[in-house]
Amino acid sequence: MLARTAGTGAPLPYPELYAKVARHIPPLEWPILAEDIGAILELKRQRNALLLAHNYQAPEIFHTVADIVGDSLALAREAAQTDADVILVAGVHFMAETAKVLNPEKMVLIPDERAGCSLAESITAADVRALKARYPGVPVVTYVNTSAAVKAESDVCCTSGNAKAVVEALGVPRVIMIPDQYLARNVAAQTHVEIIAWDGRCEVHERFSPADIADIRDIHADVTVIAHPECPPDVVVAADFSGSTAEMVRYVASERPARVALVTECSMADNVAIHYPEVEFVKPCNLCPHMKRITLANIRAALEHLAPQVEVDPAILPAARASVTRMLEIR
Ligand code: 13P
Ligand code: SF4
């Protein structure tokens, strides 16, 4: 049956899009969002723009206006391949910067420049130089959740989806892995390569504890618990599986657990759940305030005004690009 606007009884605009987000958006709110959605779809066409959206974006962005959705690795890969004139990143600043590093000649937009990341803020290029001086010759593996300046001081980047593969591909006994100490420790638990970590943490994932996992298991019998590797190691050990946001999706798709808890950012479960109505999603989630700065209204404004644009200092861009490209060549 066609959904209708409460009060007026008028058919809802974009019913096929509304069907995807109906669990999360009341019919009364939809016409307002639909106006922005219609404008964004038209602006994307006019600007020849590609809209990349991270898995943590709100469902009304993820399921309606995004051209490509995925984890940090997938978005970087897509950014490296696109022939669009404009790339809009519905995600956080380091993701937009990575897109710019891979496409210096293209216009890259981020709807809110304040969409940062506690990991990216935990380390500077000067910190990396000091680490290299302290551990001469030890390669620096840098999580993509960093500034372009930090990437430029690094040997190779990684994401949570390929961190172990990147560390092992270097063929050395010891690496420096920055800035997420939990990702570093979680990778160290899976490899013989010695890892020197930095003291950064994700402000969203560090809040999960083993007690949370025990509570989930107590309340929800037979639940499968999947934790993001930015979680503390004792949380990852308490989980049944750990992986990047894309690996979480792949796990649900292949294993079809009857009940699953995605121990990560809130919107993740909302976005995945729509494809698996038979799976019950338990939501032990924390919000990423940076991801939530992106809205349909500011995406529309960014495409209308072609601002804010992301720029990367040309002096560091080639070195930053080399670190990202090396990662994409490994995996
Ligand atoms: P992935 O999507 O690469 O797993 O990263 C999670 C994250 O926190 C991005 O900021
Ligand atoms: Fe950064 Fe954590 Fe937010 Fe991801 S979830 S953008 S790592 S603060």
Side-chain angles (χ1 to χ4, degrees):
M1 201 177 73
L2 197 59
R4 291 180 184 275
T5 309
T8 68
L12 287 177
Y14 300 110
E16 71 294 349
L17 295 181
Y18 185 65
K20 295 185 183 177
V21 297
R23 285 192 202 198
H24 310 290
I25 314 282
L28 205 58
E29 280 178 30
W30 178 247
I32 300 161
L33 299 180
E35 204 195 310
D36 283 334
I37 290 167
I40 291 167
L41 296 176
E42 177 55 21
L43 283 159
K44 280 199 307 175
R45 201 187 53 73
Q46 286 171 11
R47 307 288 198 203
N48 187 25
L50 180 80
L51 203 157
L52 303 176
H54 186 261
N55 287 328
Y56 294 162
Q57 288 298 293
E60 69 270 22
I61 295 171
F62 188 92
H63 286 297
T64 64
V65 293
D67 299 301
I68 305 287
V69 295
D71 66 352
S72 311
L73 183 58
L75 299 187
R77 283 199 190 290
E78 291 295 336
Q81 284 168 13
T82 182
D83 56 7
D85 296 317
V86 175
I87 302 171
L88 185 144
V89 177
V92 291
H93 194 267
F94 76 79
M95 295 176 177
E97 234 186 14
T98 303
K100 183 68 181 179
V101 157
L102 290 166
N103 294 280
E105 74 296 346
K106 291 191 197 296
M107 182 186 293
V108 176
L109 302 171
I110 178 133
D112 187 328
E113 288 175 296
R114 297 168 302 169
C117 170
S118 65
L119 283 168
E121 259 134 57
S122 72
I123 191 160
T124 65
D127 292 328
V128 187
R129 284 193 290 273
L131 274 171
K132 289 195 289 190
R134 186 162 167 207
Y135 301 101
V138 180
V140 180
V141 179
T142 293
Y143 198 26
V144 285
N145 298 38
T146 45
S147 67
V150 165
K151 290 181 175 77
E153 291 291 342
S154 310
D155 293 283
V156 61
C157 285
C158 73
T159 73
S160 57
N162 62 14
K164 178 173 178 276
V166 170
V167 162
E168 293 185 343
L170 297 178
V172 293
R174 193 155 80 134
V175 303
I176 298 166
M177 191 171 177
I178 55 172
D180 186 348
Q181 62 156 299
Y182 292 150
L183 178 68
R185 283 163 54 190
N186 287 323
V187 172
Q190 302 167 31
T191 180
H192 293 303
V193 179
E194 186 194 337
I195 294 184
I196 300 160
W198 183 250
D199 193 24
R201 286 178 299 275
C202 161
E203 68 186 81
V204 176
H205 292 91
E206 72 171 340
R207 299 210 296 270
F208 293 112
S209 71
D212 294 330
I213 309 295
D215 286 349
I216 294 167
R217 292 198 194 278
D218 268 0
I219 298 166
H220 307 279
D222 301 327
V223 68
T224 300
V225 178
I226 309 183
H228 194 278
E230 287 173 8
C231 291
D234 50 5
V235 171
V236 166
V237 166
D240 299 301
F241 175 74
S242 175
S244 77
T245 56
E247 288 167 328
M248 290 182 175
V249 178
R250 285 196 284 275
Y251 184 97
V252 172
S254 65
E255 303 300 317
R256 303 289 169 116
R259 187 176 277 171
V260 68
L262 304 184
V263 182
T264 189
E265 211 272 348
C266 288
S267 292
M268 182 74 206
D270 294 340
N271 290 333
V272 185
I274 180 168
H275 300 297
Y276 305 100
E278 76 285 10
V279 177
E280 183 192 335
F281 285 80
V282 175
K283 284 182 58 183
C285 63
N286 289 325
L287 268 179
C288 174
H290 311 290
M291 288 280 179
K292 267 37 199 190
R293 283 192 181 276
I294 310 301
T295 63
L296 285 170
N298 61 25
I299 291 173
R300 178 179 179 174
L303 287 169
E304 268 167 6
H305 305 298
L306 295 178
Q309 292 184 23
V310 176
E311 298 297 345
V312 175
D313 180 353
I316 59 150
L317 196 142
R321 186 187 170 106
S323 292
V324 178
T325 307
R326 263 180 227 127
M327 167 186 83
L328 295 177
E329 284 165 2
I330 291 171
R331 193 163 157 190

